Amino acid sequence: MTLLKNRLVIALLSAALGAVGWLVAENLIPERKDLQEPLPHRLAAADPQFARSMAALFGSSVLPGNRLETLVNGNAIFPAMLQALRGATQTITFETYIYWRGDIADQFAEVLAQKAREGVSVKVLLDWVGSIPMEEMLVERMQTSGVEVVRFRPVSWRSIDKVNNRTHRKLVVVDGRIGFTGGVGIGDEWNGDARTRAEWRDTHYRVEGPVVAEFQAAFAEHWLEATGELLMGDRFFPAIAAAGDSAAQVVASSTNQRSVMHLMLMSALSAAKTKIRLGTPYFVPDETTRRQLLAARARGVEIDILMPGELTDARLVRRASRHFWGELLEAGIRIHEFEPTMYHCKLVVVDEAWASVGSTNIDDRALRLNDEVNLNAFDPAFAREQIAVFENDLKRARPYTLAQWQARSLWDKLSDWLASLLRSQI
């Protein structure tokens, strides 16, 4: 009888461990994408049908009447964000992956706490993983003042099926009328003007106009999941008049439709006629993305890709990325490595007609695992502004050549290959 009981216990334990292993594997292995082949070039980015198709396919309308302001580096970004927060009279909604420590983190905590003391509804949603380095005293200061601070998807047995699906969104909405998005996290690494390796290079965007309601809707989706509270009414969704001349769209990926960002990016790349510019801190393209870029190059599209060089916060990602550069370089795609500091911008510009900015990197984690938000601008003037910023960054970057790639040491080639095997998770 004892032997039978022991075997039963072992069988039950084995079944439990197997179930846990299955859950972990299902969560860690990215879902298969809907798109398995590169898209053909049917519509140009400047074609009105391209905007209508993007609106129909990716979940939100292309809304006219927006004002999009480009903020380059922390010296411009943080003062603009703090000024908008200080001007709040009704609501502040704030979602971010990274909220770390230091002077900038302290400044934001103090302003948010002050607005809550003034009676403003302040809701802060922090990714549980991304905010681990945050000083708990900052959370306590905000909560004591009335700020609602919530950690998104805390790791527990109940949430093991979503442990690898983080919010990487970076959103601030003030009074439902002023929005911010881009690449910046709340930490001193982003402060300054990218003059030294201690001052990261990044771009953020201040937005006014009807499209801000789409930012608020993206926040509300996650706030509902995290708290059970549905945000409604004029305080969060006021009537918004036109504020500028830009037509824009917000695309948000979420746990149940993570392939939306991948499909959106492939659609945009397929629309290029003359030029594609990609700026990303983490470039580990899957096969479909590589083939989409190669197809564009084959029809004569010039392609420049800008990413960090030696000064990166993710050396493993750089190695995994480099493993795939050979066929791109052979096709004439130009790769540039930013030299002065960590390059953290997220930018896609197609021709001089369309640009996408926000939180999304070009890797499996962003395109298949994380929840992201991007702002798509169907505005040649905005696209040209981003091109000018991109070209200015290229002046501070070093081209990486096919000869360099071929001349890598045997150790570098092996290390790059091994790192590439982890590309679905890094």
Side-chain angles (χ1 to χ4, degrees), residues 34-84:
D34 297 330
L35 184 65
Q36 299 298 311
E37 298 290 333
L39 294 171
H41 174 66
R42 292 196 176 117
L43 296 173
D47 191 326
Q49 293 184 34
F50 175 70
R52 290 197 293 271
S53 296
M54 294 287 273
L57 288 170
F58 302 120
S60 67
S61 300
V62 177
L63 301 173
N66 302 287
R67 180 176 182 268
L68 313 179
E69 181 182 356
T70 303
L71 304 170
V72 177
N73 294 328
N75 280 358
I77 296 165
F78 292 131
M81 293 177 72
L82 290 168
Q83 180 183 28

Side-chain angles (χ1 to χ4, degrees), residues 333-384:
I333 294 173
R334 295 184 289 264
I335 293 175
H336 312 264
E337 294 187 305
F338 195 73
E339 291 194 306
T341 185
M342 171 64 184
Y343 180 86
H344 199 260
C345 305
K346 298 98 161 56
L347 174 66
V348 181
V349 184
V350 175
D351 299 336
E352 293 187 3
W354 181 91
S356 186
V357 299
S359 65
T360 307
N361 300 307
I362 301 177
D363 59 12
D364 272 342
R365 175 155 293 281
L367 298 176
R368 300 171 71 181
L369 290 173
N370 287 340
D371 291 7
E372 308 277 2
V373 163
N374 264 40
L375 176 73
N376 295 341
F378 299 78
D379 179 358
F382 182 78
R384 287 191 293 270

Side-chain angles (χ1 to χ4, degrees), residues 47-309:
D47 191 326
Q49 293 184 34
F50 175 70
R52 290 197 293 271
S53 296
M54 294 287 273
L57 288 170
F58 302 120
S60 67
S61 300
V62 177
L63 301 173
N66 302 287
R67 180 176 182 268
L68 313 179
E69 181 182 356
T70 303
L71 304 170
V72 177
N73 294 328
N75 280 358
I77 296 165
F78 292 131
M81 293 177 72
L82 290 168
Q83 180 183 28
L85 292 172
R86 291 187 182 104
T89 60
Q90 295 290 323
T91 63
I92 293 171
T93 52
F94 194 137
E95 179 174 353
T96 188
Y97 177 72
I98 289 176
Y99 197 131
W100 288 346
R101 59 187 69 200
D103 180 60
I104 290 298
D106 188 73
Q107 286 187 53
F108 272 82
E110 181 53 39
V111 170
L112 293 169
Q114 178 59 40
K115 298 311 295 186
R117 290 192 294 268
E118 293 173 7
V120 173
S121 169
V122 182
K123 301 180 185 295
V124 175
L125 190 59
L126 307 175
D127 185 76
W128 187 90
V129 172
S131 64
I132 285 175
M134 185 179 184
E135 293 177 339
E136 199 59 32
M137 59 174 286
L138 297 178
V139 176
E140 293 173 359
R141 183 197 306 177
M142 288 190 284
Q143 290 179 329
T144 299
S145 299
V147 178
E148 296 176 78
V149 182
V150 177
R151 284 326 209 298
F152 186 73
R153 292 180 186 159
V155 175
S156 69
W157 286 110
R158 290 181 299 175
S159 63
I160 193 170
D161 63 322
K162 296 181 180 178
V163 69
N164 206 25
N165 305 134
R166 313 313 313 169
T167 177
H168 192 248
R169 299 175 180 178
K170 297 171 178 67
L171 292 171
V172 174
V173 180
V174 175
D175 291 336
R177 299 178 183 279
I178 301 172
F180 291 86
T181 195
V184 160
I186 307 304
D188 284 352
E189 286 80 356
W190 282 271
N191 208 3
D193 198 26
R195 295 162 297 197
T196 70
R197 64 175 58 197
E199 301 176 356
W200 286 13
R201 168 72 189 92
D202 215 335
T203 310
H204 224 62
Y205 300 86
R206 185 183 188 278
V207 182
E208 292 181 80
V211 81
V212 174
E214 303 292 337
F215 285 165
Q216 191 77 293
F219 176 88
E221 173 201 17
H222 274 176
W223 189 257
L224 176 63
E225 176 184 334
T227 70
E229 179 187 7
L230 180 63
L231 305 184
M232 298 180 68
D234 287 345
R235 290 197 309 156
F236 295 100
F237 294 99
I240 305 177
D245 300 321
S246 295
Q249 168 194 34
V250 170
V251 176
S253 62
S254 60
T255 301
N256 297 321
Q257 50 176 189
R258 288 192 292 273
S259 65
V260 67
M261 282 299 183
H262 188 270
L263 290 168
M264 185 271 287
L265 178 62
M266 296 307 105
S267 300
L269 297 180
S270 74
K273 291 183 67 177
T274 59
K275 185 88 174 190
I276 293 170
R277 296 171 174 87
L278 301 179
T280 178
Y282 312 114
F283 178 73
V284 190
D286 66 0
E287 182 181 358
T288 306
T289 303
R290 297 195 303 273
R291 291 174 63 189
Q292 193 75 65
L293 289 168
L294 291 170
R297 183 71 196 111
R299 64 176 183 268
V301 176
E302 293 186 18
I303 302 174
D304 285 289
I305 303 173
L306 178 59
M307 65 187 84

Side-chain angles (χ1 to χ4, degrees), residues 410-422:
L410 181 60
W411 168 249
D412 280 342
K413 291 177 181 178
L414 177 61
S415 299
D416 292 354
W417 173 72
L418 288 172
S420 75
L421 299 179
L422 303 172

Side-chain angles (χ1 to χ4, degrees), residues 319 322 400 404-416:
R319 285 197 172 277
R322 193 167 59 183
Y400 189 95
Q404 285 177 275
W405 189 82
Q406 293 171 333
R408 289 171 301 153
S409 68
L410 181 60
W411 168 249
D412 280 342
K413 291 177 181 178
L414 177 61
S415 299
D416 292 354

